[in-house]
Amino acid sequence: DRGKEINRKILWRWVMICKHTNRNWGFRQHVIVRLLEVLIATCIQYAGVVWINHRSIQEVEKLWYKVLKSALGAVFNVKTSLAEAILGVQPITVTDKINSIKHLLKLNIINHDSDDPFKAFVTNHIQSFKHSKLTKKLKDTFTFLTWKTSEYENSFTDKELGIIKNLEYGRFTELSTRACGYSKVVMKQYTEILWQKDMDKQFQLDGFNDAPKVSCAKLVFPINTSRKLETQVLSFFYPNNLMNEFLYRYDKQKFPSPLCVCEKEEQNSKHLLTGCPYVKANNRTAMNNTLNCKPLHYLSDYGTNTFLVSWSRSPEFFTQLVNIAKDLEDIIRFEIVI
């Protein structure tokens, strides 16, 4: 019931802004992402530690996907996990796990020495060794603390290091304010770790032994970039775009050739970035140098533009990508008739 109520609230908010999200002239992606975080994500995460689970969140995730797809300006479907990685928007489940960890840590940060009914409830629950959702959340908290001991060992006493190393859940309330403390930077680091683990699992299920590198940082386009150019740039990062290679696989009758207009190779992200003669020579050379020098995913090894996401937070790469997209603005499709 809570999931349905939340879905009604965010659906109404989405209706108010979706008419301004056209892929050719609407809100730019950073505006849509900000609206997603302020108007929709906050509504979902309010009391999320109580009601969010895989079943209750299903309807909400459908709308979440629609907003992500609109921000990308995608015509065809894009995997939710990939859209989140491109835009730098943390998955709902990862954010909920981070919030539940914070919620338990605050028991030892706020009113540490005073009587707190909720703290007493948690303490009694832990000491009674009951297995429940709260136990799972406590295990998640200890996983965070274990990571924190490896990164910020000076925040813990020898006694606290022992409690965490031995997973003594019943002694959680003995941890100090300093041990349980966290900052925005610390939580951002840990969020990316949890997020990357989820991304790795999904790509392993798809047959890859690696996955794009995720980041909480947002894409930064040059000022005055048009919405049309922005959607063209974003289409380099996902496979179901409007380039000839995909359109040929989608419908061979309507799109009879996968080749680029230069007729040298199939039109895809790799060709447009590294080999298309319609790109200015200096921009093409700069991009090839960047892709060959960066110790990230090599397109020739993976054969998919999905792994370009790993480069997307590099200012050098992203500036070059935008320059190439400008060279190809009249060549890359921005709309089709199906």
Side-chain angles (χ1 to χ4, degrees):
D1 292 340
R2 176 65 177 172
K4 291 180 180 178
E5 180 185 349
I6 293 296
N7 191 56
R8 285 194 296 269
K9 287 183 178 180
I10 61 178
L11 182 61
W12 178 83
R13 297 179 183 191
W14 173 239
V15 168
M16 297 296 291
I17 61 176
C18 69
K19 60 185 177 182
H20 302 292
T21 58
N22 186 281
R23 70 187 306 270
N24 295 321
W25 50 259
F27 287 150
R28 291 178 57 191
Q29 64 87 26
H30 74 278
V31 176
I32 301 175
V33 168
R34 188 59 180 158
L35 290 173
L36 172 65
E37 293 176 333
V38 173
L39 298 179
I40 296 177
T42 53
C43 186
I44 295 172
Q45 296 301 332
Y46 180 74
V49 293
V50 177
W51 71 273
I52 289 181
N53 56 56
H54 289 295
R55 186 171 61 180
S56 65
I57 205 70
Q58 287 180 354
E59 290 299 319
V60 173
E61 285 180 330
K62 292 178 182 178
L63 181 58
W64 181 263
Y65 169 73
K66 291 179 182 178
V67 183
L68 293 172
K69 185 178 177 182
S70 294
L72 286 177
V75 173
F76 297 98
N77 289 335
V78 182
K79 288 183 64 173
T80 302
S81 58
L82 181 57
E84 290 167 338
I86 294 170
L87 298 170
V89 177
Q90 299 96 294
I92 296 173
T93 52
V94 171
T95 303
D96 179 59
K97 183 176 287 189
I98 291 294
N99 287 342
S100 68
I101 291 171
K102 290 180 180 178
H103 195 61
L104 287 176
L105 290 175
K106 286 177 181 176
L107 292 177
N108 291 343
I109 297 175
I110 302 174
N111 297 324
H112 186 69
D113 297 322
S114 61
D115 295 331
D116 186 331
F118 180 64
K119 185 174 182 177
F121 168 76
V122 172
T123 303
N124 292 334
H125 184 90
I126 294 170
Q127 294 175 349
S128 64
F129 300 103
K130 294 180 180 178
H131 292 283
S132 66
K133 292 180 180 179
L134 183 57
T135 307
K136 176 63 170 63
K137 294 180 185 298
L138 188 63
K139 289 180 179 179
D140 291 337
T141 304
F142 265 76
T143 302
F144 164 76
L145 290 170
T146 300
W147 168 80
K148 186 181 174 185
T149 59
S150 66
E151 298 291 326
Y152 305 94
E153 187 176 355
N154 293 334
S155 299
F156 302 86
T157 64
D158 291 340
K159 174 186 173 183
E160 290 168 337
L161 289 172
I163 292 173
I164 295 168
K165 181 179 180 180
N166 298 323
L167 302 179
E168 298 180 54
Y169 301 129
R171 300 178 65 187
F172 171 68
T173 54
E174 296 180 26
L175 299 177
S176 67
T177 299
R178 187 180 182 194
C180 293
Y182 57 86
S183 65
K184 186 175 181 180
V185 172
V186 170
M187 280 307 179
K188 180 181 177 182
Q189 285 179 287
Y190 194 64
T191 296
E192 290 180 347
I193 290 173
L194 292 182
W195 188 1
Q196 189 64 58
K197 287 181 179 178
D198 282 356
M199 183 68 83
D200 290 342
K201 289 178 183 178
Q202 292 187 40
F203 273 75
Q204 285 173 4
L205 291 174
D206 291 338
F208 294 96
N209 60 4
D210 205 352
K213 305 305 178 187
V214 300
S215 173
C216 294
K218 303 295 187 290
L219 295 175
V220 180
F221 281 86
I223 298 174
N224 298 326
T225 301
S226 67
R227 176 59 174 161
K228 174 187 170 183
L229 178 62
E230 193 176 70
T231 56
Q232 289 175 322
V233 171
L234 293 171
S235 71
F236 278 80
F237 297 113
Y238 55 86
N240 300 351
N241 49 36
L242 299 186
M243 296 180 191
N244 288 345
E245 181 191 52
F246 171 74
L247 294 176
Y248 175 73
R249 287 188 282 112
Y250 174 74
D251 190 333
K252 292 182 174 62
Q253 292 183 341
K254 287 189 176 181
F255 308 100
S257 174
L259 296 179
C260 179
V261 293
C262 69
E263 299 185 346
K264 289 191 172 184
E265 292 181 304
E266 292 184 346
Q267 188 186 68
N268 53 34
S269 297
K270 179 183 175 183
H271 167 68
L272 294 179
L273 290 178
T274 62
C276 183
Y278 282 89
V279 176
K280 292 178 181 178
N282 60 322
N283 290 335
R284 190 169 64 251
T285 301
M287 178 58 76
N288 276 294
N289 290 338
T290 298
L291 294 178
N292 290 329
C293 293
K294 292 287 183 181
L296 295 168
H297 297 109
Y298 292 95
L299 294 185
S300 57
D301 296 336
Y302 292 89
T304 171
N305 48 356
T306 297
F307 288 90
L308 280 173
V309 175
S310 299
W311 279 284
S312 62
R313 270 54 184 182
S314 164
E316 179 186 11
F317 167 83
F318 199 71
T319 299
Q320 292 167 0
L321 173 59
V322 173
N323 290 336
I324 288 175
K326 288 179 181 177
D327 293 342
L328 300 170
E329 192 167 5
D330 295 328
I331 293 176
I332 303 174
R333 286 187 178 89
F334 60 92
E335 62 182 358
I336 60 172
V337 178
I338 300 177

